[in-house]
Structures are given as C-alpha cells and as structure tokens.
Amino acid sequence: GTIIENFTLQFSEGDVVSAKAERGQDALDTLLSTDEGARSIGEVALVPHNSPISQSDLLFYNTLYDENASNHLALGRAYRFTMKDGAEMSDEDFAEAGGNNSLIHVDFMMGSADTNIDGITADGQREPVFRNGDWAFEV
C-alpha cells in the first residue's frame, strides 16, 4: 500500500547496492533489508506499450493490473514454475540453479512508447528486442 516514487537502483554483481527514492525511501529500505534475496531480481517481464491495459491510460495503483501495462522487474522471489522442475526443487536446489528465494516479490513498472531494449549475445553482439515500446521481431 506504499508508493515508492522516482527511485533508482544501482546493481553490482546482481544485487542492489544503492537505492534512492524521492518518496518512500523508508519503505524501499525496509523492502531491501527483508532478507538476502530481497536485493536481487526475481522477475523480468517485457510488456509492449500497446497492451490493452497500457492503452487504457489509467494508473490503477494495483500491481496486478499495472504490471500488465508496462515492462517490469520484481525484487525478491522468483517464480519457481519458470524453471524446469523448479516447483519440485528444495530452496537450496532452486538457489543453486539460479532461482532467487525471498519473502518478498515486489514489482515495479517502467517503460513508454519510446522504450528501446537490446539483448547482448554471448559473443558481445547487440540484438534488438524492443523498439519504440514494442517487440523488435515477430512473436
């Protein structure tokens, strides 16, 4: 129920090492100190700007709706079902396979009609993923 506005997160080796917010700093600090996994990413979701929720031009202040309007990341727990056999793994095995365990899973949205995202391949080549808020290839 707390809004954290205009914040920046600095990552190093996969963990948040610095966090600043214009509004909601105490809430952000509390989230990040929940447990060891709270400082790591648990979800990355790319959502085209032309999604129906985005096109409604409404901000619902409800993550379950708003996350369908924009690209978003989540700090904290990763969804086990996204990893092969993840749902059957122990916490230790899930973490060993690269999954993030935490008591929190907090989404934050970002993006616009101008969003451009590139992926970087293993050999260092840049591949367009998003251009102007939409997929750069047919899905």
Side-chain angles (χ1 to χ4, degrees):
T2 301
I3 297 173
I4 302 170
E5 290 183 336
N6 299 324
F7 65 94
T8 59
L9 303 173
Q10 181 181 351
F11 289 85
S12 178
E13 298 184 18
D15 292 323
V16 175
V17 295
S18 174
K20 304 278 188 239
E22 287 182 16
R23 179 176 171 214
Q25 184 70 50
D26 289 344
L28 182 56
D29 292 343
T30 298
L31 284 171
L32 292 171
S33 65
T34 300
D35 54 36
E36 185 178 331
R39 293 185 163 272
S40 297
I41 296 293
E43 177 185 10
V44 175
L46 300 179
V47 179
H49 184 68
N50 64 2
S51 74
I53 300 292
S54 178
Q55 294 306 300
S56 75
D57 209 25
L58 296 172
L59 184 56
F60 293 91
Y61 294 98
N62 180 312
T63 302
L64 294 176
Y65 293 117
D66 292 331
E67 72 178 352
N68 291 296
S70 184
N71 300 314
H72 56 277
L73 300 176
L75 293 171
R77 181 171 295 276
Y79 292 120
R80 290 177 178 266
F81 67 84
T82 63
M83 185 181 296
K84 184 177 185 333
D85 300 321
E88 290 80 39
M89 292 180 183
S90 68
D91 284 350
E92 295 78 21
D93 290 341
F94 186 64
E96 180 69 25
N100 189 31
N101 290 307
S102 178
L103 293 174
I104 69 164
H105 179 96
V106 179
D107 291 284
F108 53 95
M109 284 51 84
M110 64 210 159
S112 70
D114 301 325
T115 300
N116 294 320
I117 300 171
D118 289 339
I120 301 175
T121 64
D123 64 356
Q125 300 296 312
R126 296 180 81 85
E127 292 287 334
V129 177
F130 253 55
R131 288 294 177 264
N132 299 315
D134 204 353
W135 297 107
F137 50 86
E138 293 292 321
V139 288

